Protein backbone atom coordinates (compact mmCIF):
# COMPACT_ATOMS: atom_id res chain seq x y z
CA UNK A 1 0.00 0.00 0.00
CA UNK A 2 1.33 3.44 -0.89
CA UNK A 3 1.31 5.88 1.97
CA UNK A 4 0.32 9.37 0.88
CA UNK A 5 2.55 12.17 2.12
CA UNK A 6 -0.38 13.61 4.08
CA UNK A 7 -0.82 10.27 5.93
CA UNK A 8 2.83 10.07 7.03
CA UNK A 9 3.04 10.66 10.80
CA UNK A 10 4.35 14.10 11.71
CA UNK A 11 7.48 14.24 13.81
CA UNK A 12 7.22 15.92 17.20
CA UNK A 13 9.51 18.59 18.67
CA UNK A 14 9.54 19.14 22.44
CA UNK A 15 11.71 21.25 24.71
CA UNK A 16 11.07 20.12 28.29
CA UNK A 17 11.81 22.51 31.17
CA UNK A 18 13.01 19.90 33.68
CA UNK A 19 14.96 16.66 33.69
CA UNK A 20 11.93 14.85 35.17
CA UNK A 21 9.77 15.97 32.26
CA UNK A 22 12.50 14.94 29.79
CA UNK A 23 12.75 11.46 31.36
CA UNK A 24 8.95 11.03 31.29
CA UNK A 25 9.00 11.82 27.57
CA UNK A 26 12.04 9.62 26.84
CA UNK A 27 10.16 6.69 28.38
CA UNK A 28 7.34 7.09 25.87
CA UNK A 29 9.03 6.58 22.54
CA UNK A 30 12.01 6.79 20.28
CA UNK A 31 13.23 10.37 20.69
CA UNK A 32 16.37 11.87 19.17
CA UNK A 33 18.08 14.12 21.70
CA UNK A 34 19.24 17.55 20.55
CA UNK A 35 21.86 19.52 22.50
CA UNK A 36 24.09 22.05 20.68
CA UNK A 37 23.21 20.47 17.34
CA UNK A 38 26.77 20.74 15.95
CA UNK A 39 26.93 16.99 15.26
CA UNK A 40 23.18 16.48 14.97
CA UNK A 41 22.49 18.85 12.06
CA UNK A 42 25.57 18.06 9.92
CA UNK A 43 24.67 14.34 10.24
CA UNK A 44 21.10 15.14 9.16
CA UNK A 45 22.28 16.89 6.00
CA UNK A 46 19.49 18.08 3.70
CA UNK A 47 17.09 15.25 4.58
CA UNK A 48 13.85 16.30 6.26
CA UNK A 49 13.66 15.42 9.95
CA UNK A 50 11.24 12.49 10.39
CA UNK A 51 12.17 11.63 13.99
CA UNK A 52 10.75 12.96 17.21
CA UNK A 53 13.15 15.56 18.63
CA UNK A 54 13.71 16.09 22.33
CA UNK A 55 15.58 19.37 22.70
CA UNK A 56 17.40 19.52 26.05
CA UNK A 57 18.23 23.23 25.81
CA UNK A 58 15.51 24.05 28.36
CA UNK A 59 17.10 21.96 31.13
CA UNK A 60 18.72 24.73 33.16
CA UNK A 61 19.86 22.33 35.91
CA UNK A 62 22.28 20.68 33.44
CA UNK A 63 24.16 23.86 32.44
CA UNK A 64 26.67 24.26 35.23
CA UNK A 65 29.89 22.74 36.49
CA UNK A 66 29.90 22.31 40.27
CA UNK A 67 31.71 20.44 43.00
CA UNK A 68 29.79 17.63 44.68
CA UNK A 69 31.02 15.38 47.53
CA UNK A 70 33.89 13.56 45.86
CA UNK A 71 33.79 14.77 42.29
CA UNK A 72 33.37 17.69 39.91
CA UNK A 73 30.04 17.46 38.06
CA UNK A 74 29.96 18.79 34.49
CA UNK A 75 26.32 19.16 33.42
CA UNK A 76 25.28 17.71 30.07
CA UNK A 77 24.62 21.17 28.65
CA UNK A 78 28.07 22.53 29.55
CA UNK A 79 29.76 23.79 26.40
CA UNK A 80 33.40 23.81 25.38
CA UNK A 81 33.46 27.59 25.99
CA UNK A 82 32.28 27.07 29.57
CA UNK A 83 35.16 24.66 30.15
CA UNK A 84 37.58 27.24 28.79
CA UNK A 85 36.24 29.91 31.16
CA UNK A 86 36.05 27.70 34.26
CA UNK A 87 38.65 27.97 37.02
CA UNK A 88 40.05 24.47 37.17
CA UNK A 89 43.33 22.95 38.41
CA UNK A 90 46.20 22.08 36.01
CA UNK A 91 44.93 18.50 35.70
CA UNK A 92 42.22 20.01 33.46
CA UNK A 93 44.66 21.85 31.17
CA UNK A 94 44.47 18.98 28.65
CA UNK A 95 40.66 19.28 28.53
CA UNK A 96 40.96 23.06 28.07
CA UNK A 97 43.51 22.63 25.27
CA UNK A 98 41.15 20.17 23.58
CA UNK A 99 38.23 22.60 24.05
CA UNK A 100 40.19 25.34 22.30
CA UNK A 101 40.72 23.05 19.29
CA UNK A 102 37.11 21.92 18.82
CA UNK A 103 36.00 23.51 15.54
CA UNK A 104 35.85 27.28 15.96
CA UNK A 105 34.67 29.67 18.68
CA UNK A 106 31.11 29.44 17.31
CA UNK A 107 31.19 25.63 17.60
CA UNK A 108 32.72 25.86 21.10
CA UNK A 109 29.90 28.21 22.16
CA UNK A 110 27.18 25.75 21.05
CA UNK A 111 28.77 22.30 21.24
CA UNK A 112 28.56 20.38 24.50
CA UNK A 113 31.06 17.93 25.95
CA UNK A 114 28.23 15.47 26.53
CA UNK A 115 27.23 15.70 22.85
CA UNK A 116 30.83 14.99 21.85
CA UNK A 117 30.74 11.79 23.93
CA UNK A 118 27.26 10.66 22.84
CA UNK A 119 28.17 11.14 19.19
CA UNK A 120 30.99 8.62 19.86
CA UNK A 121 33.29 9.54 16.98
CA UNK A 122 36.71 7.83 17.16
CA UNK A 123 38.13 11.33 16.56
CA UNK A 124 36.15 13.09 19.33
CA UNK A 125 38.64 15.49 20.89
CA UNK A 126 37.05 15.42 24.33
CA UNK A 127 37.60 11.73 24.94
CA UNK A 128 41.39 11.45 25.58
CA UNK A 129 41.52 14.30 28.16
CA UNK A 130 38.44 12.92 29.92
CA UNK A 131 39.89 9.39 29.97
CA UNK A 132 43.04 10.89 31.51
CA UNK A 133 40.80 12.38 34.25
CA UNK A 134 39.08 9.01 34.89
CA UNK A 135 35.76 10.61 33.88
CA UNK A 136 32.47 8.85 34.51
CA UNK A 137 29.13 9.49 32.83
CA UNK A 138 25.82 9.81 34.66
CA UNK A 139 22.83 8.32 32.84
CA UNK A 140 19.29 8.93 34.07
CA UNK A 141 16.00 7.28 33.18
CA UNK A 142 12.67 6.66 34.94
CA UNK A 143 14.34 3.54 36.40
CA UNK A 144 16.92 5.70 38.23
CA UNK A 145 20.50 6.85 37.71
CA UNK A 146 23.58 4.84 36.86
CA UNK A 147 27.23 5.82 36.67
CA UNK A 148 29.57 4.31 34.10
CA UNK A 149 33.31 4.85 33.62
CA UNK A 150 33.80 6.63 30.29
CA UNK A 151 35.60 3.64 28.78
CA UNK A 152 32.58 1.45 29.58
CA UNK A 153 30.20 4.01 28.06
CA UNK A 154 32.02 4.23 24.72
CA UNK A 155 31.58 0.83 23.08
CA UNK A 156 32.82 1.50 19.55
CA UNK A 157 32.67 3.89 16.64
CA UNK A 158 29.25 5.63 17.01
CA UNK A 159 28.22 3.12 19.71
CA UNK A 160 27.56 3.87 23.36
CA UNK A 161 26.07 2.02 26.31
CA UNK A 162 23.19 4.52 26.51
CA UNK A 163 19.88 2.65 26.55
CA UNK A 164 16.61 3.91 25.02
CA UNK A 165 14.90 6.06 27.63
CA UNK A 166 18.23 7.25 29.11
CA UNK A 167 19.54 10.80 29.13
CA UNK A 168 23.19 11.55 29.78
CA UNK A 169 22.79 14.11 32.56
CA UNK A 170 26.46 14.90 33.11
CA UNK A 171 30.05 13.86 33.66
CA UNK A 172 31.76 13.21 36.96
CA UNK A 173 35.48 13.78 37.49
CA UNK A 174 36.62 12.09 40.72
CA UNK A 175 38.48 14.55 42.96
CA UNK A 176 41.22 11.94 43.38
CA UNK A 177 41.95 12.24 39.64
CA UNK A 178 42.39 16.01 39.61
CA UNK A 179 46.03 15.93 40.75
CA UNK A 180 49.12 16.69 38.68
CA UNK A 181 49.63 18.56 35.42
CA UNK A 182 48.21 17.65 32.03
CA UNK A 183 48.70 18.35 28.37
CA UNK A 184 46.84 17.67 25.08
CA UNK A 185 48.19 17.55 21.55
CA UNK A 186 46.23 17.06 18.35
CA UNK A 187 47.62 16.33 14.91
CA UNK A 188 45.58 17.24 11.84
CA UNK A 189 46.27 18.17 8.24
CA UNK A 190 45.97 21.88 9.15
CA UNK A 191 45.73 23.97 12.29
CA UNK A 192 42.01 24.84 12.55
CA UNK A 193 38.63 23.22 11.86
CA UNK A 194 40.18 19.83 11.39
CA UNK A 195 39.36 16.24 12.23
CA UNK A 196 42.21 14.68 14.22
CA UNK A 197 44.61 12.18 12.64
CA UNK A 198 45.88 11.40 16.13
CA UNK A 199 45.60 13.09 19.53
CA UNK A 200 47.07 12.50 22.93
CA UNK A 201 46.29 13.59 26.48
CA UNK A 202 48.63 12.98 29.40
CA UNK A 203 48.26 13.68 33.11
CA UNK A 204 51.23 13.25 35.44
CA UNK A 205 51.58 13.62 39.21
CA UNK A 206 54.81 13.15 41.19
CA UNK A 207 55.36 12.08 44.79
CA UNK A 208 57.55 13.74 47.44
CA UNK A 209 60.62 12.07 45.90
CA UNK A 210 59.87 13.68 42.51
CA UNK A 211 59.12 10.33 40.87
CA UNK A 212 55.98 9.65 38.89
CA UNK A 213 53.29 8.49 41.27
CA UNK A 214 50.29 8.71 38.96
CA UNK A 215 50.18 8.90 35.18
CA UNK A 216 47.50 8.69 32.51
CA UNK A 217 48.27 8.46 28.80
CA UNK A 218 45.25 8.45 26.46
CA UNK A 219 45.36 8.30 22.67
CA UNK A 220 42.49 9.15 20.30
CA UNK A 221 41.78 8.56 16.60
CA UNK A 222 44.12 5.54 16.59
CA UNK A 223 41.51 2.90 17.49
CA UNK A 224 37.71 2.67 17.25
CA UNK A 225 37.51 4.25 20.70
CA UNK A 226 40.18 6.42 22.29
CA UNK A 227 42.05 4.46 24.93
CA UNK A 228 44.39 4.65 27.89
CA UNK A 229 47.77 2.98 27.33
CA UNK A 230 47.77 1.07 30.61
CA UNK A 231 50.96 -0.93 29.97
CA UNK A 232 52.92 2.22 29.14
CA UNK A 233 51.50 3.91 32.24
CA UNK A 234 52.74 1.02 34.41
CA UNK A 235 56.20 1.33 32.83
CA UNK A 236 56.29 5.05 33.68
CA UNK A 237 55.41 4.73 37.37
CA UNK A 238 58.45 5.34 39.60
CA UNK A 239 60.43 7.11 36.87
CA UNK A 240 61.49 10.74 37.01
CA UNK A 241 59.59 13.05 34.66
CA UNK A 242 61.92 14.30 31.94
CA UNK A 243 64.67 12.17 30.39
CA UNK A 244 64.02 9.09 32.56
CA UNK A 245 60.33 8.93 31.51
CA UNK A 246 61.13 9.77 27.90
CA UNK A 247 63.65 6.90 27.79
CA UNK A 248 60.82 4.49 28.67
CA UNK A 249 58.74 5.86 25.81
CA UNK A 250 61.60 5.93 23.26
CA UNK A 251 61.37 2.27 22.23
CA UNK A 252 57.79 1.63 23.32
CA UNK A 253 56.00 -0.43 20.60
CA UNK A 254 52.57 1.24 21.04
CA UNK A 255 51.06 -2.11 20.07
CA UNK A 256 47.95 -1.41 22.19
CA UNK A 257 46.82 0.91 19.37
CA UNK A 258 44.90 -0.40 16.36
CA UNK A 259 44.89 2.53 13.93
CA UNK A 260 42.96 2.47 10.68
CA UNK A 261 44.05 3.43 7.15
CA UNK A 262 41.80 6.15 5.75
CA UNK A 263 41.88 9.26 3.60
CA UNK A 264 43.48 11.25 6.39
CA UNK A 265 46.45 8.94 7.15
CA UNK A 266 47.74 5.37 6.99
CA UNK A 267 47.72 3.14 10.06
CA UNK A 268 51.54 3.16 10.17
CA UNK A 269 51.67 6.95 10.07
CA UNK A 270 49.05 7.20 12.82
CA UNK A 271 51.01 4.86 15.11
CA UNK A 272 54.24 6.86 14.61
CA UNK A 273 52.38 10.15 15.04
CA UNK A 274 50.76 8.95 18.28
CA UNK A 275 54.15 7.86 19.65
CA UNK A 276 55.67 11.26 18.86
CA UNK A 277 52.69 13.09 20.40
CA UNK A 278 53.05 11.06 23.61
CA UNK A 279 56.74 12.01 23.81
CA UNK A 280 55.98 15.69 23.19
CA UNK A 281 53.09 15.77 25.67
CA UNK A 282 55.26 14.20 28.38
CA UNK A 283 57.99 16.73 27.62
CA UNK A 284 55.47 19.55 28.01
CA UNK A 285 54.22 18.10 31.28
CA UNK A 286 57.82 17.99 32.53
CA UNK A 287 58.37 21.65 31.61
CA UNK A 288 55.15 22.64 33.41
CA UNK A 289 56.34 20.82 36.54
CA UNK A 290 59.76 22.49 36.46
CA UNK A 291 57.99 25.89 36.47
CA UNK A 292 55.47 24.90 39.17
CA UNK A 293 56.47 26.58 42.50
CA UNK A 294 54.22 24.21 44.47
CA UNK A 295 56.55 21.33 43.58
CA UNK A 296 59.40 23.12 45.47
CA UNK A 297 62.21 21.96 43.22
CA UNK A 298 61.14 18.31 43.36
CA UNK A 299 61.36 18.14 39.57
CA UNK A 300 64.75 18.85 37.99
CA UNK A 301 65.00 20.78 34.71
C1 LIG B 1 32.43 22.89 11.82
C2 LIG B 1 32.53 21.84 12.89
C3 LIG B 1 33.77 21.57 13.46
C4 LIG B 1 33.90 20.60 14.44
N1 LIG B 1 35.13 20.37 14.97
C5 LIG B 1 35.28 19.40 15.91
C6 LIG B 1 36.57 19.13 16.45
O1 LIG B 1 37.57 19.76 16.12
N2 LIG B 1 36.67 18.15 17.37
C7 LIG B 1 35.58 17.42 17.79
O2 LIG B 1 35.74 16.54 18.64
N3 LIG B 1 34.36 17.68 17.31
C8 LIG B 1 34.18 18.65 16.38
N4 LIG B 1 32.93 18.89 15.87
C9 LIG B 1 31.80 18.10 16.33
C10 LIG B 1 30.92 18.72 17.45
O3 LIG B 1 31.02 20.12 17.47
C11 LIG B 1 31.25 18.20 18.85
O4 LIG B 1 31.24 16.79 18.87
C12 LIG B 1 30.26 18.76 19.92
O5 LIG B 1 30.86 18.64 21.17
C13 LIG B 1 28.90 18.06 19.90
O6 LIG B 1 28.07 18.61 20.89
P1 LIG B 1 26.58 19.11 20.60
O7 LIG B 1 26.06 19.65 21.87
O8 LIG B 1 26.53 20.01 19.43
O9 LIG B 1 25.87 17.72 20.25
P2 LIG B 1 24.58 17.45 19.34
O10 LIG B 1 24.93 17.66 17.91
O11 LIG B 1 23.40 18.17 19.85
O12 LIG B 1 24.39 15.88 19.64
C14 LIG B 1 25.35 14.94 19.23
C15 LIG B 1 24.83 13.54 19.52
O13 LIG B 1 24.76 13.30 20.90
C16 LIG B 1 23.41 13.04 21.33
N5 LIG B 1 23.26 13.75 22.60
C17 LIG B 1 23.62 15.03 22.86
N6 LIG B 1 23.46 15.31 24.16
C18 LIG B 1 22.96 14.19 24.74
C19 LIG B 1 22.60 13.85 26.08
N7 LIG B 1 22.72 14.74 27.09
N8 LIG B 1 22.15 12.60 26.33
C20 LIG B 1 22.07 11.68 25.33
N9 LIG B 1 22.39 11.94 24.04
C21 LIG B 1 22.84 13.19 23.75
C22 LIG B 1 22.52 13.57 20.21
O14 LIG B 1 21.32 12.85 20.13
C23 LIG B 1 23.41 13.31 18.99
O15 LIG B 1 23.31 11.96 18.59
C24 LIG B 1 32.76 19.86 14.88
C25 LIG B 1 31.50 20.15 14.31
C26 LIG B 1 31.40 21.12 13.33
C27 LIG B 1 30.03 21.40 12.72
Amino acid sequence: MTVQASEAPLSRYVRPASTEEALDLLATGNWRILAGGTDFFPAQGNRPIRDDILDINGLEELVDLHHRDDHLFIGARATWSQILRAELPPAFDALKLAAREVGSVQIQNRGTIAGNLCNASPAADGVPPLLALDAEVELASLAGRRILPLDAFLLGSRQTARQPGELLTGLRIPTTSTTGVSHFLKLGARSYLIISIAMVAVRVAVGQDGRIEEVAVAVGACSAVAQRLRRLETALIGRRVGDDALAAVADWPFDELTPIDDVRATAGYRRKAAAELVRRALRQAHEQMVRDPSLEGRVAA
Side-chain angles (χ1 to χ4, degrees):
M1 190 184 79
T2 312
V3 177
Q4 300 296 315
S6 58
E7 293 174 33
L10 293 173
S11 61
R12 290 176 290 171
Y13 168 87
V14 291
R15 188 179 157 118
S18 71
T19 303
E20 287 67 33
E21 197 188 330
L23 298 184
D24 282 343
L25 284 161
L26 278 173
T28 64
N30 195 15
W31 296 87
R32 271 177 78 193
I33 295 168
L34 174 67
T38 61
D39 276 317
F40 183 103
F41 287 113
Q44 186 66 31
N46 290 329
R47 287 170 287 120
I49 294 176
R50 304 264 185 235
D51 312 292
D52 292 333
I53 307 296
L54 193 144
D55 180 345
I56 61 168
N57 286 289
L59 308 182
E60 293 309 318
E61 66 263 41
L62 301 187
V63 171
D64 286 335
L65 286 69
H66 53 263
H67 291 277
R68 285 183 183 167
D69 316 331
D70 58 355
H71 61 267
L72 174 79
F73 184 78
I74 303 176
R77 284 190 54 211
T79 61
W80 294 109
S81 298
Q82 268 174 269
I83 288 290
L84 279 168
R85 285 195 302 266
E87 272 191 37
L88 295 166
F92 287 84
D93 286 357
L95 186 62
K96 288 193 170 200
L97 288 165
R100 198 166 285 129
E101 300 229 16
V102 172
S104 57
V105 172
Q106 293 89 338
I107 298 292
Q108 292 157 20
N109 285 342
R110 287 298 306 167
T112 61
I113 302 162
N116 192 246
L117 301 184
C118 291
N119 190 53
S121 159
D125 285 333
V127 179
L130 288 166
L131 285 175
L133 285 164
D134 299 315
E136 301 166 327
V137 300
E138 184 183 272
L139 293 158
S141 70
L142 284 190
R145 280 173 201 263
R146 61 185 182 123
I147 311 294
L148 282 183
L150 181 54
D151 60 2
F153 175 70
L154 295 169
L155 299 179
S157 176
R158 312 285 175 189
Q159 284 178 290
T160 71
R162 189 175 76 85
Q163 297 296 312
E166 282 187 319
L167 175 71
L168 194 155
T169 41
L171 306 174
R172 296 159 42 120
I173 311 296
T175 311
T176 48
S177 302
T178 59
T179 54
V181 303
S182 68
H183 199 72
F184 172 83
L185 288 170
K186 163 173 168 175
L187 175 72
R190 58 172 192 259
S191 298
Y192 295 103
L193 277 169
I194 191 67
I195 298 177
S196 299
I197 291 171
M199 62 192 135
V200 162
V202 300
R203 184 173 62 84
V204 192
V206 292
Q208 288 303 324
D209 59 1
R211 292 179 185 274
I212 296 177
E213 201 171 66
E214 205 182 320
V215 61
V217 180
V219 177
C222 288
S223 43
V225 181
Q227 62 183 114
R228 290 271 293 266
L229 302 186
R230 302 276 179 187
R231 290 206 296 273
L232 174 59
E233 290 172 8
T234 305
L236 288 169
I237 295 288
R239 295 205 173 229
R240 294 196 177 277
V241 275
D243 289 345
D244 191 21
L246 289 171
V249 180
D251 300 321
W252 195 258
F254 289 90
D255 50 7
E256 286 167 87
L257 300 175
T258 51
I260 51 157
D261 282 308
D262 70 6
V263 288
R264 286 192 288 280
T266 63
Y269 178 80
R270 278 197 162 91
R271 193 186 300 276
K272 282 189 183 150
E276 181 57 27
L277 293 181
V278 170
R279 280 189 279 277
R280 290 186 190 186
L282 282 171
R283 209 173 288 135
Q284 287 287 336
H286 174 224
E287 284 174 19
Q288 270 169 263
M289 285 184 157
V290 170
R291 289 194 301 268
D292 187 342
S294 74
L295 291 173
E296 295 168 350
R298 267 187 276 160
V299 176

